[in-house]
Amino acid sequence: MTPAASPDLVAIVGATGALGFGLTLRFGNAGIPVLVASRDASRAVKAAERATELTGLNNFAGRRNDDAVAAASLVILAVPFAGQSPILRELRPFLRPGQVIVDATVPLASAVGGRATRLLGIGLGSAAQQTRELVDPDIGVVAALHTVSAAKLADLDKPLAEDVLLCGDDRADKGSVANLIGQIDGLRPVDAGPLEMAGIVESLTALMISLNIRYRARAGIHVTGLPEALWPPETTDSTVASSPASTTT
Ligand SMILES: NC(=O)c1ccc[n+]([C@@H]2O[C@H](COP(=O)([O-])OP(=O)(O)OC[C@H]3O[C@@H](n4cnc5c(N)ncnc54)[C@H](OP(=O)(O)O)[C@@H]3O)[C@@H](O)[C@H]2O)c1
């Protein structure tokens, strides 16, 4: 169960890539118009056409990253870690107050030629906290979608059944992102706490990759023991921080 009305438009930066295109298909399939964004307008248009072809729906429009970001209130960032800072610096002038960036970036060591089962150390704690630093304070940042396999998203014939952990410092922003993600059949958004938790969630991707290699699988996560109604969460992050009982498992 997720709050609020359906989002009217989502822009996906990096939508020509694995995760971005998988999300494009699933959001489009859920009836959400998608701005399929790329650094190159023609690549964006081709990806949008391909999404239309694969889904049979007219919910996709290809745009250059800057045009897409200027047009949508929710922006998903789905680029490799090496591109995260440069693209955010480039897009910063096109962002406006009240927008929310959903950051799916994982700082895998493969970004610098290392293993995809290892993470790079980030001075600020996580890729999402780095995004927080790079955009103005009146832009929301929510970390999400790190543990969902791009291949599974793109395989529209296969149902999804997994959780998406959300980290962010603003409850309303997290609610909006939960609402967006909850539109995809089989994805359950879960509030994983403030943005400072993002490093832990990002590290789960390395774990998923390790499991995928070991079992030739497409692993995802499902948290057990949670109540049926997850939104809005009953406890705020400040209550958690001040409650000794909250440390019990
Ligand atoms: N793949 C997964 O299953 C998965 C799952 C969860 C999270 N993630 C995370 O999501 C992000 C995207 O992963 P991916 O596998 O989709 O990556 P990808 O396919 O390698 O790249 C995605 C897109 O990002 C754009 N891009 C590439 N380099 C860039 C740069 N230097 N600056 C700006 N844009 C650049 C490209 O689009 P244009 O050239 O068209 O601009 C590319 O198609 C990564 O941080 C990854 O760790 C991935």
Side-chain angles (χ1 to χ4, degrees):
M1 189 57 62
T2 54
S6 292
D8 51 6
L9 187 68
V10 60
I12 304 182
V13 173
T16 58
L19 179 66
F21 193 68
L23 290 170
T24 294
L25 294 178
R26 293 285 177 167
F27 283 127
N29 237 8
I32 297 170
V34 182
L35 292 178
V36 181
S38 164
R39 288 169 294 180
D40 178 273
S42 65
R43 265 204 306 275
V45 169
K46 269 192 199 134
E49 285 169 356
R50 177 105 183 101
T52 301
E53 206 177 287
L54 289 171
T55 60
L57 298 166
N58 279 316
N59 289 338
F60 313 95
R63 293 277 188 282
R64 237 177 47 182
N65 285 334
D66 47 7
D67 290 338
V69 160
S73 54
L74 277 161
V75 176
I76 296 179
L77 188 63
V79 303
F81 176 68
Q84 184 205 33
S85 295
I87 201 71
L88 282 172
R89 284 181 214 284
E90 215 176 295
L91 295 177
R92 196 175 169 169
F94 301 92
L95 294 166
R96 56 177 196 282
Q99 275 180 309
V100 178
I101 296 179
V102 184
D103 192 346
T105 313
V106 182
L108 294 175
S110 51
V112 293
R115 293 187 183 183
T117 49
R118 290 185 183 149
L119 283 193
L120 296 171
I122 308 289
L124 290 163
S126 65
Q129 285 165 295
Q130 189 161 282
T131 291
R132 178 65 285 163
E133 283 281 304
L134 287 167
V135 299
D136 292 341
D138 50 14
I139 310 290
V141 176
V142 174
L145 295 161
H146 310 87
T147 56
V148 185
S149 148
K152 258 192 328 203
L153 287 170
D155 192 348
L156 292 176
D157 293 334
K158 298 261 167 61
L160 300 168
E162 59 191 86
D163 291 343
V164 175
L165 302 178
L166 269 55
C167 305
D169 294 334
D170 185 284
R171 292 186 94 193
D173 290 346
K174 267 193 288 196
S176 302
V177 176
N179 179 50
L180 174 74
I181 289 170
Q183 306 294 317
I184 296 181
D185 204 22
L187 292 188
R188 181 180 69 157
V190 175
D191 187 346
L195 205 62
E196 67 175 36
M197 298 297 289
I200 295 171
V201 179
E202 289 169 13
S203 73
L204 293 178
T205 306
L207 176 67
M208 295 296 117
I209 292 170
S210 177
L211 291 169
N212 289 347
I213 293 168
R214 257 167 202 75
Y215 294 105
R216 292 183 195 280
R218 290 171 177 176
I221 63 158
H222 181 67
V223 181
T224 61
L226 295 176
E228 202 164 308
L230 293 180
W231 296 91
E234 282 185 18
T235 314
T236 63
D237 295 329
S238 54
T239 321
V240 173
S242 63
S243 164
S246 66
T247 57
T248 59
T249 53

